[in-house]
Amino acid sequence: AQSVAQPEDQVNVAEGNPLTVKCTYSVSGNPYLFWYVQYPNRGLQFLLKYITGDNLVKGSYGFEAEFNKSQTSFHLKKPSALVSDSALYFCAVRDITGGYNKLIFGAGTRLAVHP
Amino acid sequence: DTGVSQDPRHKITKRGQNVTFRCDPISEHNRLYWYRQTLGQGPEFLTYFQNEAQLEKSRLLSDRFSAERPKGSFSTLEIQRTEQGDSAMYLCASSTLDRGDEQYFGPGTRLTVT
């Protein structure tokens, strides 16, 4: 079965410092990987995805993610964190068992950026 | 795109009552998904529509749950005889293969069963 794991419940970082939110995956076949962000009382917003090609994927709001096949990881990164980046971040993998596309999400990582 | 909308945003109901939620996807999106999210967890897949056809249902979707998408536009999710364990955020998402099939989510309906 496809799965993703987010090993950190919370990540704390100072504004202006680089941030990393970790995700590891377990899939059969080629992984389709996604990052979403959730702000309070709002739905999930799509940040970026990896399907194939360059291992470094660039997304919205200055975020990027690095796909590492040997480590089965897809960590989310940003060179310089903003206080407004504070939110809940979800890693997800596409699951097509059953024949149709759906997303399997991790439990989420809360990012807190301190001024 | 006006985005995915869901109604109502919040619903409080007593155990045993029936509730119905509505989702309006992005207009050109033919794929529609329902997910459920409980506190401290990521969303879990419930069901998938392609146009008006319901093509996949999760084992999480018990017999008390039913979803429809008449005419392939908006969708409804009904829960009959609600239980306290049904309390969760119900999220709707839509996508189209023509635009990379990324799923775009609505704001969700938060259900509280008392």
Side-chain angles (χ1 to χ4, degrees):
Chain A
Q2 324 285 51
S3 66
V4 291
Q6 295 181 244
E8 303 156 315
D9 290 337
Q10 179 151 334
V11 170
N12 297 297
V13 64
E15 187 175 29
N17 283 1
L19 69 87
T20 299
V21 182
K22 296 180 180 177
C23 173
T24 59
Y25 65 87
S26 174
V27 303
S28 53
N30 294 322
Y32 283 31
L33 297 160
F34 302 80
W35 275 102
Y36 284 81
V37 60
Q38 187 174 36
Y39 295 98
N41 299 316
R42 295 175 66 177
L44 281 74
Q45 296 180 30
F46 170 77
L47 281 179
L48 51 80
K49 68 178 179 182
Y50 172 84
I51 296 177
T52 187
D54 288 342
N55 290 341
L56 187 64
V57 180
K58 294 191 182 297
S60 306
Y61 313 119
F63 284 93
E64 56 191 26
E66 187 172 9
F67 173 71
N68 188 316
K69 187 173 183 178
S70 62
Q71 296 185 5
T72 62
S73 67
F74 188 56
H75 299 333
L76 182 70
K77 301 181 184 227
K78 189 174 183 181
S80 178
L82 301 172
V83 172
S84 58
D85 292 330
S86 299
L88 194 53
Y89 290 80
F90 290 97
C91 180
V93 64
R94 189 187 77 164
D95 181 6
I96 57 171
T97 55
Y100 302 103
N101 179 18
K102 56 188 173 287
L103 294 175
I104 306 298
F105 287 87
T109 298
R110 186 165 300 281
L111 173 67
V113 182
H114 304 285
Chain B
D1 293 339
T2 57
V4 179
S5 61
Q6 292 187 246
D7 184 70
R9 295 290 304 276
H10 299 91
K11 178 71 177 179
I12 300 174
T13 191
K14 292 184 177 180
R15 183 164 52 94
Q17 297 296 305
N18 299 343
V19 294
T20 300
F21 310 140
R22 177 180 170 124
C23 169
D24 287 272
I26 294 171
S27 57
E28 66 268 28
H29 287 188
N30 62 337
R31 300 180 171 195
L32 187 146
Y33 312 79
W34 285 97
Y35 291 82
R36 181 171 68 187
Q37 184 180 18
T38 53
L39 201 60
Q41 299 297 320
E44 297 174 292
F45 170 77
L46 291 178
T47 191
Y48 163 66
F49 289 85
Q50 186 163 313
N51 300 311
E52 67 276 8
Q54 186 176 20
L55 298 181
E56 189 170 1
K57 293 193 291 186
S58 162
R59 287 172 294 178
L60 292 175
L61 215 64
S62 75
D63 292 344
R64 297 184 297 106
F65 288 70
S66 62
E68 295 181 340
R69 193 183 182 197
K71 303 179 183 179
S73 56
F74 71 92
S75 176
T76 58
L77 177 68
E78 181 182 15
I79 309 174
Q80 296 182 328
R81 304 180 305 281
T82 52
E83 301 172 357
Q84 287 188 323
D86 297 330
S87 295
M89 176 77 86
Y90 290 84
L91 296 166
C92 176
S94 69
S95 72
T96 177
L97 193 58
D98 296 341
R99 291 196 178 183
D101 208 22
E102 296 99 46
Q103 295 182 26
Y104 290 88
F105 284 78
T109 295
R110 182 169 296 284
L111 173 65
T112 302
V113 182
T114 62

Short mmCIF file of all heavy atoms in Angstrom, two decimals, chain B residues 48-100:
data_model
loop_
_atom_site.label_atom_id
_atom_site.label_comp_id
_atom_site.label_asym_id
_atom_site.label_seq_id
_atom_site.Cartn_x
_atom_site.Cartn_y
_atom_site.Cartn_z
N TYR B 48 -14.83 9.10 -4.97
CA TYR B 48 -14.37 9.79 -6.18
C TYR B 48 -15.44 9.71 -7.26
O TYR B 48 -16.04 8.66 -7.49
CB TYR B 48 -13.09 9.14 -6.66
CG TYR B 48 -12.70 9.45 -8.09
CD1 TYR B 48 -12.34 10.74 -8.46
CD2 TYR B 48 -12.66 8.44 -9.06
CE1 TYR B 48 -11.98 11.03 -9.77
CE2 TYR B 48 -12.29 8.72 -10.37
CZ TYR B 48 -11.94 10.02 -10.72
OH TYR B 48 -11.58 10.31 -12.01
N PHE B 49 -15.66 10.86 -7.92
CA PHE B 49 -16.57 10.95 -9.06
C PHE B 49 -15.79 11.40 -10.30
O PHE B 49 -14.95 12.31 -10.21
CB PHE B 49 -17.67 11.98 -8.82
CG PHE B 49 -18.69 11.56 -7.82
CD1 PHE B 49 -18.48 11.77 -6.46
CD2 PHE B 49 -19.88 10.96 -8.22
CE1 PHE B 49 -19.42 11.39 -5.52
CE2 PHE B 49 -20.83 10.58 -7.28
CZ PHE B 49 -20.60 10.81 -5.94
N GLN B 50 -16.11 10.80 -11.42
CA GLN B 50 -15.66 11.34 -12.70
C GLN B 50 -16.93 11.69 -13.47
O GLN B 50 -17.72 10.80 -13.78
CB GLN B 50 -14.81 10.34 -13.46
CG GLN B 50 -14.21 10.92 -14.73
CD GLN B 50 -13.07 10.08 -15.26
OE1 GLN B 50 -12.17 9.68 -14.52
NE2 GLN B 50 -13.10 9.77 -16.54
N ASN B 51 -17.10 12.96 -13.70
CA ASN B 51 -18.39 13.46 -14.19
C ASN B 51 -19.47 13.02 -13.20
O ASN B 51 -19.33 13.27 -12.01
CB ASN B 51 -18.63 13.00 -15.61
CG ASN B 51 -17.56 13.50 -16.54
OD1 ASN B 51 -17.22 14.68 -16.55
ND2 ASN B 51 -16.97 12.60 -17.34
N GLU B 52 -20.53 12.36 -13.66
CA GLU B 52 -21.60 12.00 -12.72
C GLU B 52 -21.42 10.61 -12.13
O GLU B 52 -22.17 10.20 -11.24
CB GLU B 52 -22.97 12.10 -13.40
CG GLU B 52 -23.20 11.09 -14.51
CD GLU B 52 -22.63 11.55 -15.83
OE1 GLU B 52 -21.92 12.57 -15.87
OE2 GLU B 52 -22.88 10.85 -16.85
N ALA B 53 -20.43 9.88 -12.59
CA ALA B 53 -20.24 8.50 -12.15
C ALA B 53 -19.39 8.42 -10.89
O ALA B 53 -18.27 8.94 -10.84
CB ALA B 53 -19.60 7.69 -13.27
N GLN B 54 -19.91 7.72 -9.89
CA GLN B 54 -19.14 7.46 -8.67
C GLN B 54 -18.31 6.21 -8.92
O GLN B 54 -18.85 5.10 -8.96
CB GLN B 54 -20.07 7.27 -7.47
CG GLN B 54 -19.34 7.16 -6.15
CD GLN B 54 -20.29 7.06 -4.96
OE1 GLN B 54 -21.46 6.72 -5.11
NE2 GLN B 54 -19.80 7.37 -3.77
N LEU B 55 -17.02 6.38 -9.06
CA LEU B 55 -16.16 5.29 -9.51
C LEU B 55 -15.42 4.58 -8.40
O LEU B 55 -14.93 3.47 -8.60
CB LEU B 55 -15.17 5.81 -10.56
CG LEU B 55 -15.80 6.36 -11.83
CD1 LEU B 55 -14.72 6.81 -12.81
CD2 LEU B 55 -16.69 5.31 -12.48
N GLU B 56 -15.27 5.21 -7.26
CA GLU B 56 -14.55 4.54 -6.18
C GLU B 56 -15.08 5.02 -4.84
O GLU B 56 -15.36 6.20 -4.65
CB GLU B 56 -13.04 4.79 -6.27
CG GLU B 56 -12.24 3.95 -5.29
CD GLU B 56 -10.74 3.99 -5.52
OE1 GLU B 56 -10.30 4.70 -6.43
OE2 GLU B 56 -10.03 3.31 -4.76
N LYS B 57 -15.20 4.06 -3.92
CA LYS B 57 -15.62 4.37 -2.56
C LYS B 57 -14.66 3.70 -1.58
O LYS B 57 -14.33 2.52 -1.74
CB LYS B 57 -17.05 3.87 -2.30
CG LYS B 57 -18.10 4.59 -3.11
CD LYS B 57 -19.50 4.30 -2.60
CE LYS B 57 -19.93 2.88 -2.85
NZ LYS B 57 -21.34 2.67 -2.47
N SER B 58 -14.25 4.43 -0.57
CA SER B 58 -13.38 3.88 0.47
C SER B 58 -14.18 2.98 1.41
O SER B 58 -15.40 3.13 1.56
CB SER B 58 -12.75 5.03 1.25
OG SER B 58 -12.25 4.60 2.49
N ARG B 59 -13.45 2.09 2.06
CA ARG B 59 -14.10 1.27 3.10
C ARG B 59 -14.56 2.14 4.27
O ARG B 59 -15.38 1.72 5.07
CB ARG B 59 -13.11 0.22 3.60
CG ARG B 59 -12.86 -0.90 2.61
CD ARG B 59 -11.74 -1.80 3.07
NE ARG B 59 -10.47 -1.09 3.08
CZ ARG B 59 -9.33 -1.63 3.48
NH1 ARG B 59 -9.29 -2.86 3.92
NH2 ARG B 59 -8.21 -0.92 3.47
N LEU B 60 -14.02 3.37 4.36
CA LEU B 60 -14.46 4.29 5.40
C LEU B 60 -15.90 4.73 5.18
O LEU B 60 -16.56 5.19 6.12
CB LEU B 60 -13.57 5.54 5.41
CG LEU B 60 -12.12 5.39 5.83
CD1 LEU B 60 -11.39 6.70 5.66
CD2 LEU B 60 -12.03 4.92 7.27
N LEU B 61 -16.37 4.62 3.96
CA LEU B 61 -17.71 5.09 3.61
C LEU B 61 -18.72 3.99 3.95
O LEU B 61 -19.01 3.12 3.13
CB LEU B 61 -17.74 5.43 2.13
CG LEU B 61 -18.63 6.61 1.71
CD1 LEU B 61 -18.13 7.89 2.31
CD2 LEU B 61 -18.69 6.71 0.20
N SER B 62 -19.25 4.08 5.18
CA SER B 62 -20.19 3.05 5.60
C SER B 62 -21.52 3.22 4.87
O SER B 62 -21.73 4.18 4.13
CB SER B 62 -20.41 3.13 7.11
OG SER B 62 -21.24 4.24 7.43
N ASP B 63 -22.43 2.30 5.15
CA ASP B 63 -23.75 2.34 4.50
C ASP B 63 -24.54 3.59 4.87
O ASP B 63 -25.50 3.94 4.19
CB ASP B 63 -24.56 1.09 4.89
CG ASP B 63 -23.97 -0.17 4.29
OD1 ASP B 63 -23.14 -0.04 3.36
OD2 ASP B 63 -24.31 -1.26 4.76
N ARG B 64 -24.14 4.25 5.95
CA ARG B 64 -24.86 5.46 6.36
C ARG B 64 -24.47 6.67 5.51
O ARG B 64 -25.12 7.71 5.58
CB ARG B 64 -24.58 5.76 7.83
CG ARG B 64 -25.07 4.69 8.80
CD ARG B 64 -24.84 5.11 10.25
NE ARG B 64 -23.40 5.26 10.54
CZ ARG B 64 -22.80 6.42 10.68
NH1 ARG B 64 -23.49 7.56 10.55
NH2 ARG B 64 -21.50 6.48 10.95
N PHE B 65 -23.43 6.52 4.74
CA PHE B 65 -22.93 7.62 3.90
C PHE B 65 -23.37 7.38 2.46
O PHE B 65 -23.27 6.27 1.94
CB PHE B 65 -21.40 7.67 3.93
CG PHE B 65 -20.81 8.17 5.21
CD1 PHE B 65 -20.88 7.40 6.36
CD2 PHE B 65 -20.17 9.39 5.27
CE1 PHE B 65 -20.33 7.87 7.55
CE2 PHE B 65 -19.60 9.85 6.45
CZ PHE B 65 -19.68 9.09 7.59
N SER B 66 -23.82 8.45 1.81
CA SER B 66 -24.10 8.37 0.38
C SER B 66 -23.69 9.67 -0.28
O SER B 66 -23.84 10.75 0.30
CB SER B 66 -25.57 8.06 0.12
OG SER B 66 -26.38 9.11 0.62
N ALA B 67 -23.18 9.56 -1.47
CA ALA B 67 -22.75 10.74 -2.22
C ALA B 67 -23.32 10.67 -3.62
O ALA B 67 -23.49 9.59 -4.18
CB ALA B 67 -21.23 10.81 -2.26
N GLU B 68 -23.61 11.85 -4.13
CA GLU B 68 -24.15 11.94 -5.49
C GLU B 68 -23.49 13.11 -6.21
O GLU B 68 -23.03 14.06 -5.58
CB GLU B 68 -25.66 12.17 -5.46
CG GLU B 68 -26.47 11.04 -4.89
CD GLU B 68 -27.95 11.34 -4.92
OE1 GLU B 68 -28.34 12.52 -5.02
OE2 GLU B 68 -28.74 10.37 -4.86
N ARG B 69 -23.53 13.04 -7.51
CA ARG B 69 -23.07 14.16 -8.34
C ARG B 69 -23.95 14.21 -9.59
O ARG B 69 -23.52 13.86 -10.69
CB ARG B 69 -21.61 14.02 -8.72
CG ARG B 69 -21.03 15.30 -9.30
CD ARG B 69 -19.61 15.15 -9.74
NE ARG B 69 -19.11 16.42 -10.24
CZ ARG B 69 -18.01 16.54 -10.99
NH1 ARG B 69 -17.29 15.47 -11.30
NH2 ARG B 69 -17.62 17.73 -11.40
N PRO B 70 -25.18 14.66 -9.41
CA PRO B 70 -26.10 14.70 -10.55
C PRO B 70 -25.59 15.64 -11.62
O PRO B 70 -25.09 16.73 -11.31
CB PRO B 70 -27.40 15.20 -9.92
CG PRO B 70 -27.00 15.89 -8.68
CD PRO B 70 -25.76 15.23 -8.19
N LYS B 71 -25.69 15.22 -12.86
CA LYS B 71 -25.30 16.05 -14.01
C LYS B 71 -23.82 16.40 -14.01
O LYS B 71 -23.39 17.29 -14.75
CB LYS B 71 -26.14 17.33 -14.08
CG LYS B 71 -27.63 17.08 -14.16
CD LYS B 71 -28.41 18.38 -14.20
CE LYS B 71 -29.90 18.11 -14.21
NZ LYS B 71 -30.69 19.35 -14.22
N GLY B 72 -23.04 15.77 -13.18
CA GLY B 72 -21.60 16.00 -13.20
C GLY B 72 -21.16 17.37 -12.76
O GLY B 72 -20.05 17.79 -13.08
N SER B 73 -22.02 18.06 -12.02
CA SER B 73 -21.63 19.40 -11.56
C SER B 73 -21.38 19.37 -10.07
O SER B 73 -20.37 18.81 -9.62
CB SER B 73 -22.70 20.41 -11.94
OG SER B 73 -23.95 20.02 -11.41
N PHE B 74 -22.29 19.92 -9.25
CA PHE B 74 -22.09 19.90 -7.80
C PHE B 74 -22.27 18.49 -7.26
O PHE B 74 -22.81 17.60 -7.95
CB PHE B 74 -23.07 20.87 -7.13
CG PHE B 74 -24.50 20.40 -7.16
CD1 PHE B 74 -25.02 19.65 -6.11
CD2 PHE B 74 -25.31 20.71 -8.24
CE1 PHE B 74 -26.33 19.22 -6.15
CE2 PHE B 74 -26.63 20.27 -8.28
CZ PHE B 74 -27.14 19.52 -7.23
N SER B 75 -21.81 18.30 -6.03
CA SER B 75 -21.95 17.00 -5.38
C SER B 75 -22.53 17.19 -3.98
O SER B 75 -22.36 18.26 -3.37
CB SER B 75 -20.59 16.31 -5.27
OG SER B 75 -20.68 15.10 -4.56
N THR B 76 -23.23 16.18 -3.52
CA THR B 76 -23.72 16.18 -2.15
C THR B 76 -23.21 14.93 -1.43
O THR B 76 -23.06 13.87 -2.05
CB THR B 76 -25.25 16.21 -2.08
OG1 THR B 76 -25.77 15.08 -2.79
CG2 THR B 76 -25.80 17.50 -2.68
N LEU B 77 -22.96 15.10 -0.15
CA LEU B 77 -22.58 14.00 0.72
C LEU B 77 -23.59 13.97 1.86
O LEU B 77 -23.74 14.96 2.58
CB LEU B 77 -21.17 14.19 1.26
CG LEU B 77 -20.65 13.13 2.24
CD1 LEU B 77 -20.46 11.79 1.53
CD2 LEU B 77 -19.34 13.56 2.89
N GLU B 78 -24.30 12.86 2.00
CA GLU B 78 -25.29 12.73 3.05
C GLU B 78 -24.83 11.70 4.07
O GLU B 78 -24.32 10.64 3.69
CB GLU B 78 -26.65 12.32 2.49
CG GLU B 78 -27.72 12.18 3.57
CD GLU B 78 -29.07 11.71 3.04
OE1 GLU B 78 -29.13 11.22 1.91
OE2 GLU B 78 -30.05 11.83 3.80
N ILE B 79 -25.01 12.02 5.32
CA ILE B 79 -24.76 11.07 6.41
C ILE B 79 -26.08 10.84 7.12
O ILE B 79 -26.70 11.78 7.62
CB ILE B 79 -23.71 11.57 7.41
CG1 ILE B 79 -22.44 12.05 6.69
CG2 ILE B 79 -23.36 10.46 8.40
CD1 ILE B 79 -21.42 12.69 7.61
N GLN B 80 -26.50 9.60 7.17
CA GLN B 80 -27.73 9.26 7.86
C GLN B 80 -27.42 8.76 9.27
O GLN B 80 -26.37 8.16 9.51
CB GLN B 80 -28.49 8.20 7.08
CG GLN B 80 -28.96 8.67 5.71
CD GLN B 80 -29.75 7.61 4.98
OE1 GLN B 80 -29.51 6.42 5.11
NE2 GLN B 80 -30.74 8.05 4.20
N ARG B 81 -28.34 9.03 10.18
CA ARG B 81 -28.22 8.52 11.56
C ARG B 81 -26.82 8.82 12.11
O ARG B 81 -26.06 7.91 12.48
CB ARG B 81 -28.50 7.02 11.60
CG ARG B 81 -29.87 6.66 11.02
CD ARG B 81 -30.13 5.16 11.09
NE ARG B 81 -29.11 4.35 10.45
CZ ARG B 81 -29.00 4.15 9.16
NH1 ARG B 81 -29.86 4.72 8.33
NH2 ARG B 81 -28.04 3.36 8.68
N THR B 82 -26.49 10.09 12.16
CA THR B 82 -25.14 10.49 12.54
C THR B 82 -24.74 9.93 13.91
O THR B 82 -25.57 9.78 14.81
CB THR B 82 -24.99 12.01 12.56
OG1 THR B 82 -26.04 12.57 13.37
CG2 THR B 82 -25.03 12.60 11.17
N GLU B 83 -23.45 9.66 14.03
CA GLU B 83 -22.85 9.18 15.27
C GLU B 83 -21.75 10.16 15.68
O GLU B 83 -21.23 10.91 14.86
CB GLU B 83 -22.25 7.79 15.05
CG GLU B 83 -23.25 6.77 14.58
CD GLU B 83 -22.60 5.44 14.19
OE1 GLU B 83 -21.35 5.37 14.23
OE2 GLU B 83 -23.34 4.50 13.86
N GLN B 84 -21.38 10.13 16.95
CA GLN B 84 -20.36 11.07 17.42
C GLN B 84 -19.05 10.86 16.68
O GLN B 84 -18.30 11.82 16.46
CB GLN B 84 -20.17 10.94 18.93
CG GLN B 84 -21.35 11.52 19.72
CD GLN B 84 -21.08 11.57 21.20
OE1 GLN B 84 -20.45 10.68 21.76
NE2 GLN B 84 -21.58 12.62 21.84
N GLY B 85 -18.78 9.67 16.27
CA GLY B 85 -17.56 9.38 15.52
C GLY B 85 -17.53 10.00 14.13
O GLY B 85 -16.49 10.01 13.47
N ASP B 86 -18.67 10.52 13.70
CA ASP B 86 -18.70 11.19 12.39
C ASP B 86 -18.20 12.62 12.47
O ASP B 86 -18.01 13.27 11.44
CB ASP B 86 -20.13 11.22 11.84
CG ASP B 86 -20.69 9.83 11.58
OD1 ASP B 86 -19.89 8.90 11.28
OD2 ASP B 86 -21.92 9.66 11.69
N SER B 87 -18.00 13.12 13.67
CA SER B 87 -17.51 14.49 13.84
C SER B 87 -16.13 14.61 13.19
O SER B 87 -15.20 13.87 13.52
CB SER B 87 -17.41 14.84 15.33
OG SER B 87 -18.68 14.85 15.92
N ALA B 88 -16.03 15.53 12.26
CA ALA B 88 -14.80 15.68 11.47
C ALA B 88 -14.98 16.86 10.54
O ALA B 88 -16.04 17.48 10.47
CB ALA B 88 -14.52 14.42 10.64
N MET B 89 -13.90 17.16 9.81
CA MET B 89 -13.97 18.12 8.72
C MET B 89 -14.14 17.32 7.44
O MET B 89 -13.36 16.39 7.18
CB MET B 89 -12.68 18.94 8.65
CG MET B 89 -12.62 19.90 7.48
SD MET B 89 -13.62 21.37 7.76
CE MET B 89 -12.42 22.35 8.67
N TYR B 90 -15.15 17.66 6.64
CA TYR B 90 -15.37 16.99 5.38
C TYR B 90 -14.91 17.91 4.25
O TYR B 90 -15.43 19.03 4.10
CB TYR B 90 -16.85 16.59 5.23
CG TYR B 90 -17.18 15.47 6.19
CD1 TYR B 90 -17.52 15.76 7.51
CD2 TYR B 90 -17.09 14.15 5.81
CE1 TYR B 90 -17.77 14.74 8.42
CE2 TYR B 90 -17.34 13.11 6.71
CZ TYR B 90 -17.68 13.43 8.01
OH TYR B 90 -17.92 12.42 8.91
N LEU B 91 -13.94 17.44 3.52
CA LEU B 91 -13.31 18.23 2.47
C LEU B 91 -13.69 17.72 1.10
O LEU B 91 -13.74 16.51 0.86
CB LEU B 91 -11.78 18.17 2.61
CG LEU B 91 -11.19 18.77 3.87
CD1 LEU B 91 -9.74 18.33 4.05
CD2 LEU B 91 -11.27 20.29 3.83
N CYS B 92 -13.93 18.64 0.20
CA CYS B 92 -14.19 18.32 -1.19
C CYS B 92 -13.03 18.85 -2.03
O CYS B 92 -12.46 19.91 -1.72
CB CYS B 92 -15.50 18.98 -1.62
SG CYS B 92 -15.92 18.77 -3.35
N ALA B 93 -12.67 18.13 -3.06
CA ALA B 93 -11.61 18.57 -3.97
C ALA B 93 -12.03 18.27 -5.40
O ALA B 93 -12.85 17.38 -5.64
CB ALA B 93 -10.30 17.87 -3.65
N SER B 94 -11.48 19.04 -6.32
CA SER B 94 -11.75 18.76 -7.73
C SER B 94 -10.46 18.86 -8.54
O SER B 94 -9.49 19.48 -8.09
CB SER B 94 -12.83 19.70 -8.29
OG SER B 94 -12.36 21.04 -8.39
N SER B 95 -10.48 18.25 -9.70
CA SER B 95 -9.31 18.28 -10.56
C SER B 95 -9.72 18.03 -11.99
O SER B 95 -10.85 17.62 -12.28
CB SER B 95 -8.28 17.23 -10.12
OG SER B 95 -8.73 15.91 -10.44
N THR B 96 -8.80 18.27 -12.89
CA THR B 96 -8.98 17.91 -14.28
C THR B 96 -7.67 17.42 -14.84
O THR B 96 -6.61 18.00 -14.56
CB THR B 96 -9.52 19.10 -15.11
OG1 THR B 96 -9.62 18.70 -16.47
CG2 THR B 96 -8.62 20.31 -15.02
N LEU B 97 -7.75 16.36 -15.60
CA LEU B 97 -6.54 15.78 -16.16
C LEU B 97 -5.85 16.76 -17.08
O LEU B 97 -4.62 16.76 -17.21
CB LEU B 97 -6.89 14.50 -16.91
CG LEU B 97 -5.74 13.58 -17.30
CD1 LEU B 97 -4.95 13.15 -16.07
CD2 LEU B 97 -6.26 12.36 -18.04
N ASP B 98 -6.65 17.64 -17.70
CA ASP B 98 -6.10 18.60 -18.65
C ASP B 98 -5.12 19.57 -18.00
O ASP B 98 -4.33 20.19 -18.68
CB ASP B 98 -7.22 19.38 -19.32
CG ASP B 98 -8.13 18.48 -20.14
OD1 ASP B 98 -7.69 17.37 -20.48
OD2 ASP B 98 -9.26 18.88 -20.43
N ARG B 99 -5.23 19.74 -16.70
CA ARG B 99 -4.36 20.69 -16.01
C ARG B 99 -3.51 19.99 -14.97
O ARG B 99 -3.33 20.50 -13.84
CB ARG B 99 -5.18 21.81 -15.38
CG ARG B 99 -5.80 22.74 -16.40
CD ARG B 99 -6.27 24.01 -15.76
NE ARG B 99 -6.83 24.93 -16.74
CZ ARG B 99 -7.26 26.15 -16.46
NH1 ARG B 99 -7.17 26.59 -15.21
NH2 ARG B 99 -7.76 26.92 -17.38
N GLY B 100 -3.04 18.81 -15.29
CA GLY B 100 -2.09 18.15 -14.39
C GLY B 100 -2.72 17.34 -13.29
O GLY B 100 -2.02 16.70 -12.51
#
